[in-house]
Amino acid sequence: MSSVRPLAILGGTFDPIHHGHLRAAWEAAEALEAEVRLVPARTPPHRPAPVADAAGRVALLRAALAGQDRLTIDTRELDRDGPSYSVDTLASLRADIGPERPLVLLVGADAFAGLASWHLWRELFTFAHVGVLNRPGVTHTAPPELADFIAGRRSERVHGAAGTVIDIAITPLDIAATAIREAFAAGGEPRFLLPPACFDDESLLAPYRALGR
């Protein structure tokens, strides 16, 4: 492990944030001995626009993260126009933290299997390591293009500033933001899938409750 504390980021729409996101980020922070930032996307290139606007999603994140300081929020994707490409975010972070601090892009194993479809995906490794969040017993086969590229890049620990693939085991929590939105649309109250603080202020979840009207 590098003597410099790594910075890791977990991106997503967080529409809404839920315990699956938070537990994965927390376990990555522990495994990597890292600071972890949650980076909400402004315009995700591979999925429909979020239900809640940027301010609403950030407010939910702030409520969810209250009371601890290991996980924080980074709003740089919300602050720039255009699609939220990971390579641009990593380039911006690398400019901020300098060339030596380890930087880790956290992605789920299913997303990692499709990495070769991402915008300028090879350049991700010039800026950061990629931390693959693996659920025990679940495997995803990398397509040949990706498998060939990452051959020899696997590492059990963070070494250097960027360039490797690190597998991180996480607790399998079968929670999906899609299912939470569907529960609200059906008039349900999906408590215990989101942090209790998200329910303390009714305005925080109002965009999702409106789906059922």
Side-chain angles (χ1 to χ4, degrees):
M1 185 73 69
S2 169
S3 60
V4 180
R5 188 184 186 201
L7 169 63
I9 64 165
L10 179 64
T13 53
F14 305 118
D15 188 37
I17 185 72
H18 57 67
H19 285 307
H21 298 132
L22 296 168
R23 187 60 201 169
W26 189 266
E27 290 183 342
E30 291 185 325
L32 300 173
E33 297 180 20
E35 170 195 353
V36 175
R37 299 182 190 176
L38 302 182
V39 184
R42 178 188 179 96
T43 309
H46 299 298
R47 60 192 305 167
V51 169
D53 63 17
R57 288 181 287 129
V58 169
L60 268 173
L61 276 166
R62 294 198 190 286
L65 297 179
Q68 58 79 51
D69 59 8
R70 184 161 226 177
L71 308 181
T72 59
I73 306 169
D74 190 310
T75 62
R76 72 185 61 224
E77 290 190 358
L78 301 178
D79 298 335
R80 79 172 177 253
D81 295 329
S84 299
Y85 290 123
S86 294
V87 68
D88 296 331
T89 301
L90 293 176
S92 174
L93 282 162
R94 178 55 69 195
D96 285 353
I97 67 176
E100 296 183 2
R101 185 179 182 186
L103 179 60
V104 184
L105 173 66
L106 300 173
V107 299
D110 53 346
F112 181 71
L115 195 72
S117 68
W118 290 27
H119 179 64
L120 299 176
W121 66 276
R122 291 178 180 85
E123 292 189 21
L124 299 172
F125 292 88
T126 68
F127 298 114
H129 305 285
V130 176
V132 184
L133 304 172
N134 292 291
R135 298 177 180 182
V138 178
T139 59
H140 297 273
T141 301
E145 183 181 15
L146 177 61
D148 290 346
F149 183 82
I150 66 173
R153 291 180 180 268
R154 295 276 185 184
S155 177
E156 294 184 358
R157 294 173 174 247
V158 172
H159 293 291
T164 68
V165 177
I166 304 160
D167 288 308
I168 303 167
I170 62 170
T171 302
L173 298 180
D174 191 13
I175 305 173
T178 299
I180 292 172
R181 294 193 299 270
E182 290 173 349
F184 277 118
E189 188 78 355
R191 285 184 178 269
F192 308 113
L193 298 180
L194 295 77
C198 294
F199 292 87
D200 290 345
D201 180 344
E202 289 190 3
S203 68
L204 292 176
L205 294 170
Y208 307 103
R209 291 196 173 97
L211 294 172
R213 294 175 188 166

